[in-house]
Amino acid sequence: MSRQLEVKNLTIAYDGKTAVEGVSFYLGAADIGCLLGPSGCGKTSLLRAIAGFEPVVAGEILLRGRQVTRPGESLEPEQRHVGMVFQDFALYPHLTVWKNVAFGIRRFKRAERRRRVDELLKLVNMQGTENKYPHQLSGGQQQRIALVRAMAPRPDILLLDEPFSGLDVELRTQLAREVRDILKRDQITAILVTHDQLEAFAMADKIAVMAEGELRQWGDGYQLYHRPVDRFVADFIGQGAMLPGQIIDGPRIETPLGIVQGNHMADLSPGETVDLLLRPSDIVHDDDSPFKLEVLDRVFQGAEYLYTLHLSDDTKVLCLVQSHHDHAIGERIGVKLDVSSLVIFASDH
């Protein structure tokens, strides 16, 4: 598979303070990637370096095999054939929808320009809005126009800097999925920056989880959720809790909720103490179980309740239960573990 974007051992620093350190990953043609992490983790600095707006102190960036960034040398942003979609969409308020989309392809011949704009408006179901102005569009419509304007020149890579952050929470995941479909249909390689994991899951093929300037794990949503490489990823991705345990032998671990066994990657010896990552779906409501836990909190989620259960003074676990099982706070309910793939970490206690 051809590599559309390669980031190799990249380090970015401001006034001697490192913002990104030793980051490496790549995207193939038509892949959609995501830089995911909390504020200040370095994801926006990395995106700006790919765009050509930030110098680097180590490493290199290649686009379609061509080196565009290395220490002391950086190809100008306008020479990289990179598209950008910003948080505020940055549409030109004095231009119509048609002229906004056509703005970046003025060098195209007239017939080709018209064909490309019409093709893109049809792609995002915005036919009939050609003569409207940005203020006459909804937030979601503005987002689509900003997207296809950036796609119009067929950039080597499209960079999206938290493009959904100004929209209603209910719209974000839906629009992320729509944008994914649009990019896939037009075979555009893209990379998204976000702090919202649901947006990342909805849109990206590969996700880079970042923290304190480092890339902690690179993988798809399934790998990040079910096979986190460290505690930060385990805590940042999805919901879950750590259950203390002790290694009995290779596959078996003794926990306060009984013995669990299954495949795990850790190289630990019998007798060692560990923490077992439990997702809410790993704990099953079972009235016949000898393990009864107190309900500390509950959140109604329609088909299910998410219960927070009290195991001991310093340990709480989460449990998803069908909502027709309506248990009150303070009630004790029976649970059992149903964990097939074990994610464990050496105890830090």
Side-chain angles (χ1 to χ4, degrees):
M1 179 181 66
S2 62
R3 296 190 175 188
Q4 196 81 350
L5 168 71
E6 285 187 84
V7 174
K8 296 183 176 181
N9 299 311
L10 205 71
T11 297
I12 302 168
Y14 304 107
D15 299 323
K17 184 177 180 181
T18 300
V20 173
E21 185 170 16
V23 168
S24 298
F25 67 89
Y26 72 89
L27 289 175
D31 279 350
I32 300 174
C34 176
L35 305 177
L36 174 67
S39 297
C41 70
K43 57 188 186 295
T44 296
S45 295
L46 183 51
L47 192 80
R48 287 176 57 82
I50 295 169
F53 298 137
E54 298 291 348
V56 305
V57 297
E60 60 179 344
I61 299 171
L62 293 88
L63 284 171
R64 296 181 66 186
R66 177 180 65 156
Q67 187 185 70
V68 295
T69 294
R70 69 178 182 181
E73 287 187 35
S74 182
L75 193 66
E76 292 297 319
E78 59 270 19
Q79 296 179 305
R80 295 187 180 215
H81 205 223
V82 166
M84 296 248 352
V85 180
F86 299 97
Q87 295 179 25
D88 61 0
F89 308 146
L91 294 174
Y92 300 111
H94 61 290
L95 297 182
T96 63
V97 163
W98 200 95
K99 289 181 178 178
N100 261 284
V101 178
F103 187 85
I105 53 173
R106 289 169 295 178
R107 71 183 187 280
F108 285 21
K109 292 180 179 178
R110 180 177 296 180
E112 185 183 1
R113 184 167 68 244
R114 177 165 293 282
R115 184 168 57 250
R116 181 62 172 157
V117 174
D118 290 347
E119 170 188 73
L120 288 169
L121 290 177
K122 183 178 180 182
L123 190 66
V124 293
N125 295 316
M126 293 286 287
Q127 311 97 306
T129 66
E130 291 88 347
N131 296 318
K132 289 187 176 183
Y133 289 87
H135 73 272
Q136 296 174 300
L137 306 177
S138 69
Q141 289 175 322
Q142 290 182 32
Q143 191 267 347
R144 292 182 185 94
I145 297 305
L147 175 69
V148 294
R149 183 184 63 180
M151 290 169 57
R154 296 190 183 278
D156 290 338
I157 189 165
L158 182 65
L159 308 179
L160 302 108
D161 185 10
E162 302 217 29
F164 313 112
S165 62
L167 302 175
D168 293 340
V169 173
E170 299 78 25
L171 273 177
R172 291 179 191 172
T173 303
Q174 173 192 336
L175 283 173
R177 198 69 200 176
E178 288 180 12
V179 168
R180 174 184 169 82
D181 291 342
I182 292 163
L183 294 173
K184 289 294 185 182
R185 287 201 296 268
D186 208 44
Q187 293 291 290
I188 298 282
T189 306
I191 190 160
L192 165 76
V193 161
T194 184
H195 60 274
D196 187 324
Q197 60 184 275
L198 295 181
E199 285 177 23
F201 292 160
M203 188 166 163
D205 300 307
K206 295 288 186 180
I207 300 168
V209 178
M210 296 188 64
E212 298 178 339
E214 297 180 349
L215 195 162
R216 306 297 279 268
Q217 187 169 352
W218 173 254
D220 60 29
Y222 180 92
Q223 291 167 328
L224 300 178
Y225 187 87
H226 291 287
R227 296 170 191 157
V229 298
D230 61 25
R231 288 176 181 269
F232 175 84
V233 178
D235 183 59
F236 189 76
I237 297 294
Q239 295 173 302
M242 293 292 178
L243 184 67
Q246 188 173 52
I247 302 290
I248 298 175
D249 51 35
R252 295 190 301 160
I253 303 172
E254 185 175 14
T255 79
L257 294 177
I259 293 174
V260 296
Q261 65 179 39
N263 298 321
H264 60 81
M265 303 299 292
D267 183 19
L268 297 169
S269 304
E272 288 194 61
T273 57
V274 297
D275 290 322
L276 170 66
L277 174 65
L278 291 181
R279 300 297 190 187
S281 56
D282 293 330
I283 300 180
V284 179
H285 180 244
D286 181 3
D287 289 329
D288 296 326
S289 171
F291 300 104
K292 309 290 184 184
L293 302 183
E294 180 187 356
V295 177
L296 288 181
D297 192 18
R298 63 181 195 163
V299 178
F300 183 71
Q301 298 184 344
E304 298 166 319
Y305 273 111
L306 177 65
Y307 288 111
T308 301
L309 305 177
H310 183 228
L311 185 67
S312 65
D313 287 344
D314 57 353
T315 304
K316 301 174 181 63
V317 293
L318 301 173
C319 176
L320 277 177
V321 180
Q322 290 183 332
S323 60
H324 61 266
H325 295 285
D326 186 10
H327 298 287
I329 292 175
E331 190 176 341
R332 297 180 69 83
I333 64 173
V335 297
K336 65 179 181 181
L337 294 181
D338 183 13
V339 189
S340 56
S341 181
L342 304 184
V343 178
I344 62 174
F345 302 101
S347 177
D348 57 4
H349 302 305

